[in-house]
Amino acid sequence: MRLFKRLYFRQIALVVAFSMFVIGAIPAKSMAYVAGTEAVAAPGRAVDMAKVQRVLESRLVADKLEATGLPTAEIMPRIDRLDDDELHQFASQLDGLYPGGDALGVVIALLVIVILVMVIMKLSDRKIIIR
């Protein structure tokens, strides 16, 4: 009986070690980037304006704005009227937007958890019966 418990815990340790290896092998989404001297210094109006224009040139954004009743021809004069601080704040908020989200990591984590539970149940000779 003692030998069986030792073998049982050894198998569980191997499964946990393997799952930690798999989780560690999945690259995490990094938010870091190399900052040049222009990014460290206070960005000028031209840099912020270029960032806003790049986002507005996106077809998806343009379609959404036109659906709300704001054609692209009206948007640029409104953005030109913003002062430097407001434009910088708006451009920095654009950096935080991630269209589509990051659901792949959540799906992979759920799959690993389900597989781990199934392996542990199999190793302990237990079955889940759903009636």
Side-chain angles (χ1 to χ4, degrees):
M1 183 70 177
R2 194 168 172 88
L3 179 65
F4 177 74
K5 279 188 176 181
R6 194 179 307 160
L7 181 64
Y8 176 71
F9 285 115
R10 187 174 290 164
Q11 288 176 343
I12 289 178
L14 286 174
V15 168
V16 170
F18 177 74
S19 64
M20 293 303 291
F21 172 76
V22 169
I23 290 172
I26 299 171
K29 187 172 185 179
S30 176
M31 303 302 287
Y33 62 94
V34 176
T37 56
E38 67 276 351
V40 174
R45 185 171 178 87
V47 174
D48 290 335
M49 190 63 107
K51 189 182 300 183
V52 171
Q53 284 178 345
R54 188 172 47 241
V55 170
L56 289 176
E57 289 172 356
S58 168
R59 184 71 184 156
L60 180 66
V61 173
D63 289 344
K64 291 288 184 181
L65 287 173
E66 287 183 16
T68 60
L70 269 169
T72 309
E74 288 182 22
I75 295 170
M76 288 314 293
R78 290 184 183 194
I79 291 176
D80 287 336
R81 286 189 297 228
L82 294 175
D83 64 351
D84 291 342
D85 292 333
E86 291 172 337
L87 183 63
H88 179 67
Q89 182 181 8
F90 181 61
S92 63
Q93 288 176 353
L94 291 176
D95 290 336
L97 297 178
Y98 291 105
D102 185 25
L104 181 64
V106 174
V107 170
I108 291 174
L110 288 175
L111 285 174
V112 167
I113 290 171
V114 167
I115 290 171
L116 183 62
V117 168
M118 289 173 56
V119 167
I120 290 174
M121 295 297 285
K122 182 69 175 174
L123 288 175
S124 63
D125 289 332
R126 300 196 185 265
K127 295 180 181 177
I128 298 176
I129 300 172
I130 301 173
R131 295 183 186 183

